[in-house]
Amino acid sequence: MNPGGSSSATLDPSTPPIDLLPLVGPEADDTRAPPTPEQALAYVRGLAVSHYENFSVLSSLVPADLRDDFAAVYGFCRWADDLGDETGNTPEARLRATQLLDWWRAELRACFAAAESGDRSGILHPVYVALASTIDRHRLPIQPFLDLIDAFQQDQRVTRYESWDQLVDYCARSANPVGRLVLHLGGYPDTPANADRYRMSDATCTALQLTNFWQDVRRDLIERDRVYLPSRDTGISAEQLRDWAHRPDDPQARVPFIRALRPLAERTAELFEQGRDLPRLLDSRIRPVVWLFGVGGRQVLGSVRRTGCVTLWERPTLEAAKKACLVGTAWLMFRLVSSGSSGRLGGGA
């Protein structure tokens, strides 16, 4: 359905969320008919497979009875991310993003209240119609969702970082909540008995976020005016990066950038190492998908390092053959553990 259509019940998941605001945003007609649970699930399922990801959110590795829950959580994250990133870079655009995220937070709180009361008649957004069932079924806490919104709002205020510690604090809200929600969906609530699992998950998710920063230095700088290389730790300013970005063959630009990024990549590799054993501590049903995301992130970081840490000029990616090999290995693990094998692949490479 086109964004200009008359109903919000059946939305086109290939349409960018920001373009759907006239139908389901804060200014949309609040007398419209809410989507049915089936329509909401169809939307979040489509959303989860319509956007590029290194590894599909709804791959066959995800247990069948959890795929709709993964899709609902992904739908929340995708909308929050787009509300924060796709309005533009001007001060007016960032103010608009902040306001939209305020609205998204209010919708989240209403969704949790409806899930608790059992009265979902007032939920109009398809993501929250789908998410309400997931919240109820798995007793999900609200805090990870709130933390994600808080991180996306921080993006509107903070576009430069001075230290590694500031970056890690940001990752604790922009990335770690996703891993925590996956653990909840997998049957591991945030209790003292699961403290090691959560510690390893946080380390892995922080490393994944940092790897994305190091991979996308140029895109973040040019397209979003964001710099995640910590200026105090590296001695490099945003102005220097902008100058160097136009000098790809100049050693006076390449050498200091490489020397700045290389130790950051090494520290990120240490975080991946801290989380390496997480799959071994998980039930066989979710072990393969968690393994895949962890090892995939380590491979991307390895690509950053192998190509010389020159991501101000070149963006490394996983080759299709390598990606297929990782997915195949995870699938083999899935089959082994499903058939009752010991699943020795759990730690990953």
Side-chain angles (χ1 to χ4, degrees):
M1 172 181 162
N2 293 327
S6 59
S7 171
S8 64
T10 54
L11 301 176
D12 183 354
S14 67
T15 300
I18 205 77
D19 293 336
L20 294 174
L21 287 174
L23 288 176
V24 292
E27 286 87 34
D29 178 10
D30 59 7
T31 64
R32 66 191 185 275
T36 66
E38 293 76 19
Q39 289 169 330
L41 283 175
Y43 175 70
V44 295
R45 288 169 187 157
L47 196 63
V49 299
S50 66
H51 189 253
Y52 168 78
E53 300 290 341
N54 273 336
F55 303 102
S56 174
V57 176
L58 294 188
S59 75
S60 58
L61 298 173
V62 178
D65 62 321
L66 292 179
R67 286 176 195 166
D68 287 345
D69 299 312
F70 270 65
V73 170
Y74 175 82
F76 168 87
C77 296
R78 173 73 192 283
W79 265 79
D81 192 26
D82 276 24
L83 293 176
D85 272 353
E86 303 303 324
T87 60
N89 286 327
T90 66
E92 295 78 13
R94 287 175 175 162
L95 175 60
R96 173 64 172 158
T98 299
Q99 293 169 339
L100 288 172
L101 288 165
D102 283 340
W103 162 73
W104 196 239
R105 181 189 291 109
E107 294 288 294
L108 172 71
R109 292 190 183 280
C111 177
F112 266 83
E116 182 176 346
S117 69
D119 179 8
R120 304 175 190 176
S121 59
I123 305 178
L124 300 179
H125 197 288
V127 166
Y128 285 119
V129 171
L131 188 61
S133 296
T134 294
I135 291 168
D136 180 55
R137 188 160 43 248
H138 296 278
R139 296 294 184 260
L140 296 183
I142 194 173
Q143 195 59 47
F145 297 98
L146 291 173
D147 286 344
L148 286 166
I149 294 174
D150 182 66
F152 295 136
Q153 288 197 315
Q154 180 172 319
D155 286 334
Q156 314 313 313
R157 307 186 307 271
V158 181
T159 59
R160 307 288 188 269
Y161 290 83
E162 294 184 352
S163 69
W164 174 269
D165 289 343
Q166 288 177 345
L167 276 178
V168 169
D169 175 72
Y170 171 76
C171 293
R173 285 167 289 115
S174 69
N176 298 6
V178 177
R180 288 172 168 253
L181 288 169
V182 168
L183 288 179
H184 272 282
L185 292 178
Y188 299 97
D190 189 0
T191 63
N194 292 320
D196 283 345
R197 295 181 178 92
Y198 276 76
R199 175 183 56 79
M200 293 179 184
S201 175
D202 287 349
T204 299
C205 290
T206 292
L208 286 167
Q209 177 77 87
L210 293 171
T211 296
N212 181 253
F213 291 158
W214 314 147
Q215 181 185 31
D216 284 334
V217 171
R218 183 179 184 87
R219 186 161 66 181
D220 286 334
L221 175 70
I222 302 300
E223 297 181 12
R224 294 172 178 167
D225 189 32
R226 293 179 187 165
V227 177
Y228 294 101
L229 268 70
S231 59
R232 191 171 65 210
D233 294 348
T234 63
I236 296 174
S237 68
E239 291 71 26
Q240 285 176 302
L241 287 177
R242 285 194 176 277
D243 176 45
W244 293 349
H246 301 293
R247 296 156 53 190
D249 300 318
D250 185 349
Q252 293 186 348
R254 293 178 73 88
V255 171
F257 177 80
I258 292 168
R259 286 178 175 171
L261 185 56
R262 188 172 289 152
L264 297 175
E266 290 173 355
R267 295 184 75 173
T268 304
E270 293 171 2
L271 285 170
F272 272 126
E273 193 62 29
Q274 292 174 25
R276 180 185 288 268
D277 286 337
L278 174 61
R280 297 185 188 277
L281 302 181
L282 301 179
D283 183 270
S284 61
R285 298 172 70 248
I286 65 166
R287 183 184 307 162
V289 69
V290 172
W291 176 87
L292 180 60
F293 278 96
V295 75
R298 291 197 294 274
Q299 290 289 341
V300 173
L301 181 64
S303 182
V304 169
R305 300 168 84 180
R306 284 191 300 274
T307 55
C309 292
V310 293
T311 54
L312 185 56
W313 305 279
E314 303 172 24
R315 185 181 189 271
T317 58
L318 278 187
E319 303 87 352
K322 171 60 75 173
K323 191 185 300 185
C325 180
L326 292 176
V327 173
T329 302
W331 175 247
L332 176 61
M333 184 197 308
F334 176 77
R335 294 302 298 269
L336 285 172
V337 297
S338 295
S339 63
S341 177
S342 61
R344 287 186 296 272
L345 293 172

